[in-house]
């Protein structure tokens, strides 16, 4: 019994030591790039960073690649609809799967736990003129030592990557999955990030209106979340007392208080207490025509409501949607239309006067919303089908997003269709 207790204690000490080695101030190189003093004029992406591979060192198995983590990512156990283009990755970044490509070679994927991979992703943001990323930090995993360690590593990797590539980054807490009384996990975690990582003192950390920006996603949804509106209100006030600007992710119908939003008027009080409001639009419309109509019908009055209260509106755009291998629904539930669907949302946001845009997501291949480099040469195993980029170059959506940033800032005109050519941003 004493031996077992000592063994468990030693394991705990090793885990804590590993986490402490990640949670330290950044002392590496930093490149001057985008202006990190404001969100205005920027196109930012969501960076999930939640992909693990068996053997990557995180001891989390095939997280988010497969339905069941285990040791095997193969036909019959798959959760993604898009396949990443890994042709630029180093061999040390890649992990073999149980899938085969058309030439019978083993298909490989990356792990978000790998520093070189995250650095590579932020370099792509730089190369295509994308301003940076909100690094997702799911609060329901903050008390699990393995999950928290992975989150800490990804955040540290993103911090280094943003500094080296001259991009901006900020923390986005996702409250999904929290039970009543558990929101204090977020405030406790933020204190640790500020005190131990000194994250808001970092040159690449995004600020807004003179304060470090922190995002809280999942406020006011009507999908039976167990944490309360009062708890989210208290959390916003905590961040305010911490001297932060706060962005909150809310339901698409937050202003009307129906459909995907709770009917409680406290939601309006919470929104008014924040600095930036970001209504979740993924899945709310399904075509360029609908995207334009919804911008006029919902986003324009949202923007007027916000301006009356000295708030900013951060609309969400997405390239398409598909989660067939995850849920069994059909592929391409919301078609990408070779980038036309995504571009129509950028153009609609610009036309109604928005000054900032959030792209969901950079790397989410499991719900088919990724804009990073994905392959047309997908695995050919019997019984499983993947989406491709419709024959377009693997960087097509990075190009579209970079061009949209130019449109947002008035560097190119607003058009109904994306440009026919996409020059890369200067490195």
């Amino acid at each position: 019994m004493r031996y077992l207790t000592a063994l468990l204690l030693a394991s705990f000490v090793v885990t804590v030591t590993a986490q402490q080695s990640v949670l330290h101030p950044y002392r590496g190189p930093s490149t001057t790039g985008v202006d990190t003093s404001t969100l205005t004029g920027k196109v930012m992406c969501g960076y999930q960073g939640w992909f693990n591979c068996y053997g990557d060192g995180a001891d989390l198995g095939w997280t988010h690649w497969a339905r069941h983590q285990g040791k095997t990512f193969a036909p019959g156990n798959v959760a993604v609809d898009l396949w990443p283009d890994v042709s630029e990755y180093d061999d040390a970044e890649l992990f073999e799967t149980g899938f085969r490509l058309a030439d019978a070679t083993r298909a490989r994927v990356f792990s978000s736990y790998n520093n070189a991979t995250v650095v590579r992703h932020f370099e792509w943001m730089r190369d295509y003129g994308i301003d940076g990323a909100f690094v997702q930090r799911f609060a329901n995993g903050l008390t699990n030592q393995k999950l928290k360690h992975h989150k800490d590593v990804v955040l540290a990797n993103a911090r280094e990557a943003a500094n080296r590539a001259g991009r901006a980054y900020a923390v986005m807490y996702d409250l999904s999955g929290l039970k009543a009384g558990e929101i204090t996990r977020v405030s406790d975690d933020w204190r640790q990030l500020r005190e131990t990582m000194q994250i808001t003192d970092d040159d690449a950390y995004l600020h807004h209106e003179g304060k470090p920006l922190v995002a809280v996603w999942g406020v006011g949804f009507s999908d039976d979340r167990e944490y309360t509106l009062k708890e989210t209100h208290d959390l916003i006030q905590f961040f305010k007392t911490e001297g932060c600007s706060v962005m909150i992710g809310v339901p698409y119908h937050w202003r009307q208080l129906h459909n995907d939003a709770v009917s409680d008027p406290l939601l309006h009080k919470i929104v008014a207490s924040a600095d930036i409001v970001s209504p979740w639009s993924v899945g709310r419309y399904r075509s360029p025509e609908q995207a334009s109509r919804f911008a006029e019908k919902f986003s324009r009055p949202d923007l007027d409501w916000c301006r009356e209260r000295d708030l900013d509106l951060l609309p969400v755009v997405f390239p398409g949607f598909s989660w067939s291998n995850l849920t069994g629904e059909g592929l391409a539930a919301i078609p990408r239309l070779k980038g036309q669907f995504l571009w129509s949302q950028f153009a609609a946001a610009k036309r109604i006067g928005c000054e900032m845009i959030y792209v969901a997501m950079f790397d989410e291949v499991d719900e088919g919303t990724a804009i990073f480099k994905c392959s047309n040469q997908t695995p050919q195993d019997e019984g499983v089908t993947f989406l491709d980029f419709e024959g377009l170059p693997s960087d097509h959506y990075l190009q579209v997003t970079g061009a949209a940033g130019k449109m947002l800032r008035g560097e190119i005109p607003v058009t109904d269709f994306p440009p026919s050519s996409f020059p890369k941003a200067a490195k």
Side-chain angles (χ1 to χ4, degrees):
M1 185 66 180
R2 290 179 180 176
Y3 174 76
L4 179 60
T5 301
L7 190 63
L8 291 172
L9 179 60
S11 176
F12 174 77
V13 170
V14 169
T15 301
V16 171
T17 302
Q19 291 178 348
Q20 290 176 339
S21 68
V22 172
L23 298 179
H24 57 75
Y26 181 67
R27 298 288 185 255
S30 185
T31 300
T32 301
V34 301
D35 175 12
T36 60
S37 69
T38 180
L39 184 59
T40 302
K42 290 183 175 57
V43 172
M44 298 283 288
C45 297
Y47 192 79
Q48 297 284 28
W50 59 14
F51 296 99
N52 287 108
C53 299
Y54 183 77
D56 66 0
D59 195 24
L60 292 172
W62 292 100
T63 305
H64 279 277
W65 291 114
R67 290 188 184 186
H68 311 289
Q69 296 174 354
K71 295 184 179 180
T72 304
F73 173 36
N77 186 29
V78 57
V80 301
D81 277 19
L82 288 167
W83 199 267
D85 176 3
V86 296
S87 60
E88 297 179 24
Y89 295 69
D90 295 331
D91 285 341
E93 298 175 64
L94 299 176
F95 298 81
E96 280 196 356
T97 74
F99 293 94
R100 292 193 181 274
L101 300 174
D103 62 2
T105 59
R106 290 284 186 185
R108 300 187 294 174
V109 293
F110 66 85
S111 168
S112 305
Y113 191 74
N114 191 309
N115 175 269
T117 296
V118 178
V119 168
R120 184 180 306 282
H121 290 165
F122 275 76
E123 287 174 345
W124 288 349
M125 296 179 204
R126 175 201 64 198
D127 292 348
Y128 293 91
I130 300 169
D131 294 299
F134 284 102
V135 181
Q136 308 299 295
R137 198 163 171 87
F138 284 80
N140 66 340
L142 290 174
T143 57
N144 180 298
Q145 293 298 322
K146 284 185 181 180
L147 292 177
K148 184 178 184 299
H149 178 60
H150 173 79
K151 299 176 195 300
D152 291 345
V153 168
V154 171
L155 180 58
N157 290 344
R159 172 183 62 177
E160 177 183 345
N163 273 280
R164 289 172 56 176
R167 300 299 94 185
Y169 77 104
V171 172
M172 179 179 285
Y173 286 104
D174 192 318
L175 306 181
S176 301
L178 288 180
K179 299 183 184 302
E182 293 182 344
I183 277 185
T184 53
R185 294 180 184 181
V186 175
S187 51
D188 291 344
D189 183 72
W190 180 252
R191 289 191 187 98
Q192 183 182 37
L193 296 185
R194 292 201 76 167
E195 294 170 5
T196 309
M197 293 185 79
Q198 299 177 17
I199 193 169
T200 57
D201 296 330
D202 190 78
D203 289 342
Y205 195 85
L206 185 62
H207 286 56
H208 190 67
E209 296 182 346
K211 303 172 184 177
L213 178 61
V214 63
V216 178
W217 194 94
V219 178
F221 285 81
S222 61
D223 53 0
D224 299 320
R225 293 167 183 248
E226 295 186 29
Y227 56 88
T228 66
L229 273 184
K230 173 64 166 52
E231 288 179 278
T232 62
H233 179 264
D234 291 346
L235 181 62
I236 304 308
Q237 297 312 304
F238 161 78
F239 282 119
K240 288 289 188 174
T241 60
E242 284 281 296
C244 297
S245 289
V246 182
M247 185 273 271
I248 58 172
V250 297
Y252 197 70
H253 298 94
W254 63 274
R255 186 171 41 81
Q256 302 93 328
L257 299 177
H258 65 67
N259 289 352
D260 58 348
V262 296
S263 59
D264 191 335
L266 176 58
L267 177 56
H268 285 172
K269 180 180 178 180
I270 295 171
V271 170
S273 71
D275 300 281
I276 304 165
V277 186
S278 186
W280 186 247
S281 62
V282 176
R284 304 304 184 260
Y285 44 78
R286 310 175 70 86
S287 70
E289 295 75 23
Q290 286 184 352
S292 297
R293 289 201 304 270
F294 274 52
E296 288 294 335
K297 183 177 180 179
F298 298 108
S299 299
R300 187 182 289 278
D302 285 353
L303 184 59
D304 292 340
W305 192 98
C306 289
R307 284 176 170 169
E308 289 173 2
R309 293 159 179 80
D310 197 26
L311 306 174
D312 289 306
L313 184 73
L314 178 66
V316 176
V317 303
F318 63 107
F321 189 87
S322 181
W323 57 4
S324 177
N325 289 317
L326 182 63
T327 67
E329 295 186 13
L331 282 172
I334 301 178
R336 289 180 170 238
L337 305 178
K338 296 190 173 183
Q340 178 58 29
F341 179 61
L342 177 59
W343 186 263
S344 70
Q345 298 166 74
F346 281 125
K350 173 64 177 177
R351 284 182 171 125
I352 66 171
C354 293
E355 298 181 297
M356 52 188 70
I357 297 176
Y358 177 51
V359 182
M361 296 278 185
F362 185 83
D363 56 341
E364 192 167 348
V365 290
D366 35 355
E367 294 185 3
T369 62
I371 65 163
F372 74 165
K373 297 182 183 183
C374 289
S375 180
N376 291 307
Q377 309 303 316
T378 62
Q380 301 297 305
D381 299 85
E382 185 175 348
V384 61
T385 304
F386 296 96
L387 282 179
D388 58 30
F389 272 5
E390 303 174 280
L392 295 165
S394 67
D395 65 351
H396 180 74
Y397 290 92
L398 293 172
Q399 295 184 59
V400 169
T401 303
K406 293 179 181 296
M407 181 172 63
L408 176 69
R409 294 184 290 271
E411 298 168 14
I412 62 175
V414 182
T415 59
D416 290 327
F417 298 93
S420 57
S421 62
F422 302 93
K424 284 187 178 182
K427 292 187 178 183

